[in-house]
């Protein structure tokens, strides 16, 4: 290969050198790319690289470094950054990075051209690199539906967002996946090249070229620079200016003219912000900035006159016009002779900008702007109006995008910290201060305990610069600070009382306080979910000394809404914490008073356990009122022993005694649904299991769950039924709903007792056995609701009549459990007449108390069985109760098990006794009438 290369070089020497043409050289370079690249790397200069980049539509090195610096400082990707230069630096060279001269002026270290190799930067680069491919709606050269691509992109996005990015980055990516802003090309021509281009193309073609150029630019700053350059070339003048109208359509105090690019030929006194740190005394004070921006008050100078009137101004000698101010000319050493100024309008004929050209070429038309110049100027500005309108729309879209992203970050902060109201408000104020670029932010919370408008808390946040300024402590500044606080408080009171939004500028502030240092102030009310004003938020003094505009109001309104949400959530969280603390204290108090004491347990432990048959516990005709409280406790222990539950499940004696005493103490002192009723229900279940040979129908765990369910089925009964709870909208209804309200409460109360220390008689059970017995316990207690009985009894009756039941099947066995629980609960109607009559009177007393509550508290008419005025109807009501509800159940149980016919016979006997009572009452009533 070396020999071939040498022959090629020899062919280029000697006599053949005179015959070499450009095409031959290009052909040779194309066929030898290695030589071409080597020559380029050794000989090329930076100016030539810049020309190559510009000619291909990229930024030159200087512009790229500027955009990269601004991007890294702001954290946002510039839309004009069309060039991505990627280079790698060896770690060995990074400590002593050489400097690079850009265009012979700016010196920049190589290390400054690259981001630090920190984890944060690597994570950010990773997310950006993934975003470029993940968020693309369609691959190049492939016909992929947008909807499917979108789903795929979001799926891929979830994959890489699960690695390093923070929640804020994920929120930003979610917005990026929905919002797609257009990009625009970078102009590759300056004023000099445009003049050459106009000379080469001609005026008509050049006009079309520059119009096409501004039509594709959607960045106001670069667009302004293009327009200024185009005006200078089109009208053959020294320079041009473009000022955009800024501020609301109404209210001249807040409107002004703003130039996105620095210009020395404005000819009006204003707030001039000179580039590169140039200072000048303008508008009463020094102005230093690094941004090429000029602000001119509304109606000031020639520009202000044209903006306010819409007239065209053409001056041959600008300095002779009284509206012209040569202050900037004197500062910058420039002289303005001729001047042409014209408004720029949108499609609604509204003035959106003012364009101005200065110093016509003295070699043409005597250095004056002619009518032809005005016509050309007006024609070009029509296209300028369209371009500016489009760019402003995109700028508003970007502003909305940035606002949404910042608001999402506020939401993130809001829900990240809800334990302290101070932290929530300070976080929101810090974001509001940074986003709205103001010196100070304050939040005052209304004191709800006072009838008048007073504030309970003040949160005041100053910017670091403002804090340094205020660190100088002297008497005058203390007095001014007190005056400012009083002024802010008075404004906050005004906002809190009226609910209005205050947007005050410097002139209005000076009316309220002297030497306050307040140039502008924006105050808004903070509302809670009920639209009540709970505070006032204020921001003070924009950093650029301009008043707060409509955009600031909209953004700050969103911050106040989030502030209200944050305050509300934090207060709710605080209330929940207090409620949990109160509940904990209440449980501790109740557990102490409602749990069996050691003294009671020791006393019962010393008592002998009676035999079940000695107390007639096996009989379904047991006398419900034959035992006292202690005897019922010992009878319950006896039934546990007779059922074999203590031995089978290894229940400790002390635990059982403590459990029974605690259950007894957790029944309220109501006429009927008390501890005696619970014991009687458990005795009936015991008699059914042992005396009627039903125990073998169920497993030991099911017997345990049913028997404990009988003892606990009315825990904490309040003497009122489910219907009353629903009518009164009690706390139990809010907690458990309107279905099986009291029964759910009884079950949960039982669970609470079983979960307490030294009371868990299920402690020896395995996890599976514990789950089974708790299922049976819940099913048994819920079955005591008559609503459940009415839902299930027809199914049970059909099953018994068909004689196709099989208790080995779980569903049928659970149905039998429910029926046996109901039969035990209603067994008072089957007992001997003296027991039935006494029990019916206790039930009636309890019902009448509920009826009185309904009549006097709920203001409703109670049912007949609860109406005090209809007590004489008790016999009729009892007959209907037994005939419609009790007797059908006992008849079905008697068909299933003949030993249960005792309950049917007892119910029928009691019906006869109530009938006799009705006859006696009838005879007595007739005798009295006679």
């Amino acid at each position: 290969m070396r020999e071939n290369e040498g022959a090629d070089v020899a062919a280029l020497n000697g006599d053949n050198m005179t015959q070499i043409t450009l095409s031959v050289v290009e052909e040779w370079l194309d066929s030898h790319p290695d030589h071409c690249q080597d020559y380029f790397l050794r000989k090329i200069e930076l100016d030539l690289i810049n020309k190559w980049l510009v000619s291909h539509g990229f930024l030159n090195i200087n512009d790229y470094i500027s955009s990269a610096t601004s991007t890294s400082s702001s954290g946002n990707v510039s839309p004009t950054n069309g060039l991505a230069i990627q280079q790698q630096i060896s770690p060995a060279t990074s400590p002593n990075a050489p400097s690079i001269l850009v265009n012979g002026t700016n010196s920049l270290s190589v290390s400054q051209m690259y981001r630090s190799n920190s984890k944060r930067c690597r994570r950010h680069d990773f997310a950006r690199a993934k975003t470029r491919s993940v968020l693309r709606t369609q691959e190049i050269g492939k016909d992929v539906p947008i909807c499917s691509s979108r789903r795929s992109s979001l799926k891929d996005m979830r994959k890489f967002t699960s690695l390093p990015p923070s929640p804020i980055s994920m929120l930003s990516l979610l917005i990026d996946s929905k919002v797609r802003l257009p990009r625009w090309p970078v102009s590759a021509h300056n004023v000099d090249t445009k003049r050459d281009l106009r000379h080469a193309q001609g005026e008509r073609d050049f006009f079309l070229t520059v119009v096409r150029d501004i039509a594709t630019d959607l960045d106001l700053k670069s667009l302004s620079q293009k327009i200024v350059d185009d005006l200078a070339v089109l009208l053959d003048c020294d320079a041009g200016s473009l000022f955009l109208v800024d501020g609301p359509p109404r209210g001249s105090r807040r409107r002004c003219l703003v130039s996105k690019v620095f210009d020395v030929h404005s000819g009006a006194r204003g707030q001039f912000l000179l580039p590169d740190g140039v200072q000048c005394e303008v508008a009463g004070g020094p102005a230093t900035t690094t941004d090429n921006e000029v602000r001119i008050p509304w109606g000031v100078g020639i520009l202000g006159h044209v903006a306010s009137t819409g007239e065209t101004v053409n001056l041959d000698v600008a300095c002779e016009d009284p509206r012209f101010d040569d202050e900037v000319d004197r500062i910058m050493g420039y002289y303005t002779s001729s001047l042409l100024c014209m408004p720029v309008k949108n499609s609604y004929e509204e003035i959106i900008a003012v364009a101005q050209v200065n110093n016509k070429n003295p070699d043409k038309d005597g250095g004056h702007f002619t009518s032809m110049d005005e016509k050309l100027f007006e024609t070009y500005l029509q296209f300028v109006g369209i371009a500016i309108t489009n760019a402003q729309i995109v700028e508003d879209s970007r502003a909305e995008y940035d606002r949404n992203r910042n608001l999402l970050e506020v939401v993130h902060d809001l829900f990240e910290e809800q334990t302290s109201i101070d932290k929530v408000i300070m976080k929101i104020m810090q974001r509001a201060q940074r986003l709205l670029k103001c010196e100070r932010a304050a939040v005052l919370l209304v004191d709800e305990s006072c009838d008048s408008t007073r504030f309970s808390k003040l949160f005041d946040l100053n910017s670091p610069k403002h804090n340094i300024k205020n660190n100088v402590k002297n008497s005058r500044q203390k007095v001014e600070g007190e005056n400012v606080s009083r002024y802010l408080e008075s404004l906050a009171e005004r906002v809190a009382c009226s609910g209005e939004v205050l947007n005050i500028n410097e002139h209005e502030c000076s009316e309220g306080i002297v030497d306050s240092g307040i140039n502008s102030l924006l105050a808004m009310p903070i509302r809670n979910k009920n639209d009540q004003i709970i505070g006032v938020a204020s921001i003070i003094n924009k950093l650029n000394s301009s008043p707060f505009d409509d955009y600031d109001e909209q953004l700050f309104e969103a911050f106040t809404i989030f502030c209200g949400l944050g305050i509300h959530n934090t207060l709710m969280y605080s209330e929940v914490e207090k409620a949990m603390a109160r509940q904990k204290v209440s449980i501790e108090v109740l557990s102490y008073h409602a749990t069996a004491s050691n003294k009671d347990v020791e006393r019962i432990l010393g008592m002998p356990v009676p035999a079940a048959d000695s107390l007639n516990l096996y009989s379904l005709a047991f006398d419900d009122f034959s035992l006292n409280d202690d005897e019922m406790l010992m009878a319950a222990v006896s039934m546990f022993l007779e059922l074999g539950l203590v031995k089978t499940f290894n229940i400790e004696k002390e635990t059982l005694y403590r459990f029974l005493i605690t259950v007894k103490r957790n029944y309220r002192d109501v006429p009927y649904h008390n501890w005696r009723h619970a014991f009687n229900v458990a005795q009936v279940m015991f008699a059914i299991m042992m005396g009627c040979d039903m125990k073998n129908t169920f497993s030991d765990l099911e017997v345990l769950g049913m028997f404990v369910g009988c003892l606990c089925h009315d825990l904490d009964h309040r003497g009122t039924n489910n219907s009353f709870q629903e009518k009164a909208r009690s706390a139990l209804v809010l907690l458990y709903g309107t279905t099986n309200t009291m029964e759910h409460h009884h079950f949960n109360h039982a669970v609470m007792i079983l979960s307490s220390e030294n009371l868990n008689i299920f402690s020896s059970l395995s996890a599976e056995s514990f789950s089974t017995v708790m299922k049976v316990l819940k099913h048994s207690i819920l079955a005591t609701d008559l609503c459940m009985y009415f839902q299930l009894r027809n199914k049970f009756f059909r099953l018994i009549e068909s004689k196709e039941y099989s208790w080995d099947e779980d569903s049928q066995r659970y149905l039998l459990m429910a029926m046996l629980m109901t039969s035990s609960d209603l067994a008072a109607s089957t007992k001997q007449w003296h027991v039935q009559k006494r029990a019916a009177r206790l039930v009636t007393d309890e019902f009448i108390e509920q009826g009185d509550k309904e009549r006097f508290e709920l203001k409703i008419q109670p049912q007949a069985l609860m109406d005090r005025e209809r007590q004489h109807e008790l016999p009729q009501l009892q007959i209907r109760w037994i005939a419609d509800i009790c007797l059908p159940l006992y008849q079905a149980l008697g068909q299933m098990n003949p030993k249960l016919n005792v309950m049917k016979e007892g119910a029928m006997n009691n019906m006869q006794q109530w009938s006799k009572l009705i006859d006696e009452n009838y005879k007595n009533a007739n005798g009295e009438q006679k």
Side-chain angles (χ1 to χ4, degrees), residues 623-634:
D623 187 349
D624 292 354
F625 302 98
S626 61
L627 304 178
N628 59 30
D629 288 349
D630 287 346
E631 290 173 339
M632 285 188 288
L633 285 173
M634 300 313 299

Side-chain angles (χ1 to χ4, degrees), residues 289-305:
T289 184
T290 58
D291 192 8
N292 301 331
E293 187 175 271
V294 178
R295 287 183 175 270
I296 296 179
W298 190 257
V300 175
I302 295 175
L303 290 167
H305 172 76

Side-chain angles (χ1 to χ4, degrees), residues 620-886:
L620 290 172
F622 172 80
D623 187 349
D624 292 354
F625 302 98
S626 61
L627 304 178
N628 59 30
D629 288 349
D630 287 346
E631 290 173 339
M632 285 188 288
L633 285 173
M634 300 313 299
V637 174
S638 177
M639 288 188 287
F640 264 98
L641 293 172
E642 291 295 328
L643 288 170
L645 302 177
V646 174
K647 182 178 181 181
T648 302
F649 300 108
N650 194 23
I651 301 175
E652 296 182 1
K653 181 178 180 181
E654 184 176 345
T655 302
L656 177 61
Y657 280 44
R658 193 179 297 275
F659 170 77
L660 292 173
I661 296 173
T662 302
V663 168
K664 171 182 173 297
R665 297 182 66 170
N666 278 270
Y667 275 94
R668 300 195 181 196
D669 186 17
V670 294
Y672 182 74
H673 292 94
N674 48 35
W675 161 244
R676 182 175 295 277
H677 168 67
F679 170 79
N680 290 330
V681 173
Q683 184 275 325
V684 174
M685 182 62 72
F686 174 80
I688 292 175
M689 293 290 182
M690 303 299 293
C692 300
D693 299 329
M694 293 291 294
K695 182 176 181 294
N696 294 330
T697 306
F698 305 97
S699 67
D700 290 336
L701 286 172
E702 291 170 343
V703 172
L704 176 64
M706 293 170 67
F707 187 71
V708 174
C710 290
L711 291 172
C712 300
H713 81 282
D714 273 334
L715 276 171
D716 196 46
H717 199 289
R718 284 92 188 279
T720 54
N721 58 15
N722 289 334
S723 177
F724 178 84
Q725 307 301 327
E726 183 177 359
K727 293 173 185 176
R729 298 299 299 170
S730 66
L732 293 175
V733 170
L734 297 177
L735 187 61
Y736 301 113
T738 58
T739 304
N740 311 125
T741 304
M742 293 300 300
E743 286 69 30
H744 278 291
H745 177 58
H746 303 325
F747 170 72
N748 286 343
H749 203 97
V751 172
M752 183 184 70
I753 293 175
L754 290 167
S755 301
S756 301
E757 188 177 1
N758 299 327
L759 297 176
N760 186 9
I761 58 177
F762 301 154
S763 59
S764 64
L765 300 180
S766 64
E768 184 178 358
S769 298
F770 181 81
S771 176
T772 301
V773 76
M774 291 304 293
K775 179 181 178 182
V776 174
L777 177 64
K778 183 174 183 179
H779 176 73
S780 300
I781 294 177
L782 294 183
T784 59
D785 186 0
L786 286 179
C787 292
M788 293 288 292
Y789 166 65
F790 287 125
Q791 293 175 13
L792 300 175
R793 71 173 189 171
N794 289 334
K795 181 179 179 180
F796 179 73
F797 295 162
R798 289 194 299 269
L799 199 64
I800 297 300
E801 290 175 1
S802 64
K803 297 182 181 181
E804 295 179 355
Y805 52 84
S806 173
W807 306 133
D808 293 333
E809 186 178 336
D810 290 346
S811 61
Q812 295 186 12
R813 192 171 65 257
Y814 270 80
L815 179 60
L816 177 61
M817 287 183 197
M819 293 300 106
L820 292 181
M821 287 297 300
T822 303
S823 65
S824 300
D825 193 20
L826 305 180
S829 63
T830 68
K831 297 298 179 70
Q832 299 176 15
W833 168 241
H834 70 278
V835 175
Q836 154 72 140
K837 187 176 180 180
R838 185 176 176 181
R841 175 51 61 184
L842 293 174
V843 173
T844 302
D845 292 343
E846 191 171 288
F847 281 169
I848 287 176
E849 289 183 9
Q850 176 177 326
D852 291 342
K853 291 180 181 179
E854 292 180 354
R855 185 190 305 276
F856 299 110
E857 295 179 10
L858 304 182
K859 307 299 180 183
I860 60 176
Q861 177 64 34
Q863 300 177 10
L865 72 164
M866 299 181 181
D867 193 347
R868 183 179 295 274
E869 299 175 358
R870 302 176 65 177
Q871 294 186 64
H872 60 280
E873 298 181 11
L874 176 60
Q876 295 93 325
L877 295 174
Q878 283 297 115
I879 292 175
R880 191 181 309 165
W881 165 265
I882 296 174
D884 296 342
I885 298 175
C886 303

Side-chain angles (χ1 to χ4, degrees), residues 267-281:
R269 183 184 296 274
Q271 184 183 357
F272 298 102
L273 306 179
L274 305 181
D276 300 329
V278 179
Q279 295 188 5
C280 65
E281 291 290 336

Side-chain angles (χ1 to χ4, degrees), residues 210-273:
V210 295
V211 166
R212 190 183 304 111
D213 188 24
I214 64 173
T216 58
D217 197 334
L218 297 175
D219 177 60
L220 281 174
K221 188 169 184 178
S222 63
L223 177 63
S224 300
Q225 184 64 60
K226 290 180 180 180
I227 293 172
V228 168
D229 295 343
D230 294 345
L231 289 174
V233 176
L234 282 172
L235 297 175
D236 197 10
C237 59
D238 190 11
S241 304
L242 180 69
F243 286 80
L244 305 177
V245 175
D246 187 25
R250 297 178 182 178
S252 59
R253 285 184 177 181
R254 299 183 186 178
R255 303 192 78 185
C256 63
L257 297 174
V258 179
S259 174
K260 294 294 183 180
V261 292
F262 174 72
D263 183 78
V264 299
H265 321 109
S266 58
R269 183 184 296 274
Q271 184 183 357
F272 298 102
L273 306 179

